Amino acid sequence: MIVVTGATGNVGRPLVELLATAGEKVTAVSRRPAEGLPAGVAHRQGDLADVDGLRGLFEGAEAVYLLVAGLGAELRPREIVAAAVDCGVRRIVFQSSQLVGTRTDSVSHEVLRAFETAVRESGVAWTVLRPGGFASNAFLWAGPVRSARVVEAPFADVALPVVDPWDIAEVAAAALRDPEHTGRTYVLTGPVAVSPREQALALADVVGAAVRFVPQSAGEAREALVRFLPEEAVDGMLSVMGEPLADERRVSPDVERVLGRAPRSFSAWARRNAFAFA
């Protein structure tokens, strides 16, 4: 049995679907009740921050997809990983962040770095996934695109190879099922770097109408984002968006290496999610 934590999110939900379709016995874990899970998928409600309740989340699992909400600042990585191993888990796939590798002095990513260490030292088979920025961050623009056909964003022409969460899920499914991926760390990106202005053009294409791009200052963007994201996460996000390092601009070969095909483009993500912007 495979346990998927964060099972209702942009990666967890398609991962549950992929595993269930492949015939795996899957338990979806989320902090809130889950709706619309595939037939045959069990659900456990719980929180990784509740150390005393971890046995109830991991019991009976052979493999775990470990995904933490936000930056996991309130979590205790070694205790969580140890609880999984104590319950008999023999394989852990951990969703980390590209920034753990590119920004090694980033205080905001210390907990993810600690999770990677705990997973690698767990004594069981492991794989670490380090995705870059998500294409699904564009959902932040869904309301303004629907109501006013406008996108507001900073760093209009700074391009990054954002990754489709479905590609992350497919790589995760492979890592959970195939021992070939044991001991690997994969950096996951899209196939080409795209700027916010180019993303707005892709959204215009899928809604069949012009979408106006309005440049924001970094301060304006920060003020908007801290309303629903931790300040540390916002500062890290804006740093990468505004002044990306060479490795953060670079397209990684790892999605194609694992899946045998090129990663999906932002335009493909936009077409699949056109309903959110129409």
Side-chain angles (χ1 to χ4, degrees), residues 22 59 121 214 251:
E59 197 72 56
E121 295 177 355
V214 178
V251 172

Side-chain angles (χ1 to χ4, degrees), residues 209-265:
V211 172
R212 186 165 56 96
F213 184 86
V214 178
Q216 282 181 317
S217 70
E220 289 170 335
R222 189 181 192 280
E223 184 179 348
L225 290 169
V226 295
R227 294 173 189 164
F228 52 90
L229 290 173
E231 289 191 13
E232 297 85 354
V234 170
D235 290 338
M237 181 187 305
L238 291 175
S239 177
V240 174
M241 291 172 64
E243 298 180 278
L245 303 174
D247 281 348
E248 293 159 354
R249 293 177 181 267
R250 188 173 295 121
V251 172
S252 168
D254 286 347
V255 169
E256 186 164 5
R257 183 176 290 147
V258 175
L259 301 181
R261 60 161 178 81
R264 295 175 174 89
S265 66

Side-chain angles (χ1 to χ4, degrees), residues 161-212:
V162 295
V163 61
D164 189 323
W166 267 89
D167 283 345
I168 303 172
E170 287 194 34
V171 172
L176 286 163
R177 303 180 71 219
D178 190 341
E180 172 188 352
H181 305 291
T182 298
R184 305 287 183 88
T185 297
Y186 293 126
V187 175
L188 308 180
T189 72
V192 65
V194 288
S195 68
R197 195 188 304 275
E198 290 168 330
Q199 291 178 42
L201 289 172
L203 294 175
D205 185 57
V206 301
V207 300
V211 172
R212 186 165 56 96

Side-chain angles (χ1 to χ4, degrees), residues 13 121 175 205 267 271:
R13 189 171 287 277
E121 295 177 355
D205 185 57
S267 293
R271 286 193 297 272

